[in-house]
Amino acid sequence: RFGFAWSPISNGGFKELFIKKVARITNLSESYIRKLCKTKQIVFKKTGVKYLINYDLFLDFLNGKSL
């Protein structure tokens, strides 16, 4: 609509996405992803009250690779 697509926050080549976007892409619930953050099972950064998830490492986690 405005001539640009969404772009993930880039941090040294890593994609960092908010929980809502990760949930939409992976078809997992936001509450499940938030639980993974709170139990420190995935790599994330907390920015205020929101979680930024390292999407590449999250995919590795889903595919059974160890972090």
Side-chain angles (χ1 to χ4, degrees):
R1 194 177 209 194
F2 295 101
F4 59 89
W6 70 274
S7 62
I9 296 171
S10 182
N11 180 14
F14 296 109
K15 293 180 197 166
E16 294 180 327
L17 304 173
F18 290 109
I19 287 177
K20 184 173 269 194
K21 187 70 173 181
V22 174
R24 194 175 315 136
I25 293 170
T26 60
N27 204 27
L28 296 170
S29 71
E30 290 180 38
S31 61
Y32 174 69
I33 297 169
R34 190 173 296 106
K35 179 182 171 187
L36 292 174
C37 291
K38 289 184 178 184
T39 57
K40 299 184 188 322
Q41 295 183 53
I42 60 174
V43 178
F44 68 93
K45 286 185 206 172
K46 192 160 184 191
T47 58
V49 295
K50 293 189 175 192
Y51 294 92
L52 266 175
I53 297 169
N54 183 312
Y55 185 66
D56 296 326
L57 292 177
F58 182 70
L59 291 179
D60 288 345
F61 171 81
L62 291 179
N63 289 318
K65 296 179 184 173
S66 60
L67 298 179

